Each structure stands twice: as C-alpha cells, then as structure tokens.
Amino acid sequence: MEIVKLVDMKNIVSTQQIKAARMLLSWDQVELARHASVGVATLRRIEANQGEAVGGLGTVAKIVSALEGAGIEFLGAPNNMPGVRLRPIDSVKEDQN
C-alpha cells in the first residue's frame, strides 16, 4: 500500500525566500517567530538549511501566512525562479479588512 502525502503547494517556499521576505519587512528572526507563533529556535533551524523550507506539521505554513499577512508575495518555486516581493500597501490593507 502506497502512502500519499498531501502537500499544499502554496506553502512550498525556500529558506532563501523566507530570509529575503524578512529583509523586505526589516524583521529579525525573533519578530517573524512572534508573528508566526513559532519558536525562534524552530525558525533558526528552518533558515539554517538550503533549499525547500522544511519544518514540522504546519510550521512552514504559519511562517508563510505571517509573511503574506504582512504584504509579502512569494514568486516561483524553490527550484524554479524563486523570489519575493512586497505587495502595494493598498492591497495589504484590503486583504486585512
């Protein structure tokens, strides 16, 4: 019997994208951990690796969600033209309402 792992493709980002997103927001690891409700040591462990961000169940999703909530848009995929950009402030405010 084959076990199929269900993955939310939206939450597949690279550690480099997470770091770049933090820099765009001028957040350090402590601030991102607080916004994402994850431990600082957990975030440091995730960011210490290269390539696809891998963490516990839901951890990467919380990080991605916190960054997107602050206006970050993830582009590409970890292995195909990865990037980040800051959405215009007006669209961030609309998403929060």
Side-chain angles (χ1 to χ4, degrees), residues 24-25 70-73 84-88 92:
L24 279 173
L25 297 170
I72 294 295
E73 184 176 346
V84 294
R85 68 179 172 195
L86 198 53
R87 291 190 323 240
V92 173

Side-chain angles (χ1 to χ4, degrees), residues 13-82:
V13 298
S14 71
T15 56
Q16 294 87 348
Q17 285 174 292
I18 291 171
K19 292 178 203 176
R22 279 196 306 103
M23 294 302 107
L24 279 173
L25 297 170
S26 298
W27 286 1
D28 60 14
Q29 289 176 322
V30 173
E31 191 161 2
L32 175 54
R34 183 175 56 79
H35 282 281
S37 299
V38 301
V40 176
T42 299
L43 179 59
R44 286 186 178 138
R45 210 171 20 257
I46 290 170
E47 285 192 354
N49 296 312
Q50 295 290 321
E52 185 179 315
V54 178
L57 185 62
T59 303
V60 175
K62 287 180 179 181
I63 293 167
V64 169
S65 180
L67 291 167
E68 288 177 334
I72 294 295
E73 184 176 346
F74 290 93
L75 308 170
N79 59 356
N80 184 15
M81 298 177 57

Side-chain angles (χ1 to χ4, degrees), residues 69 89-97:
I89 292 178
D90 291 343
S91 67
V92 173
K93 288 179 183 176
E94 288 174 12
D95 288 348
Q96 292 176 349
N97 291 332

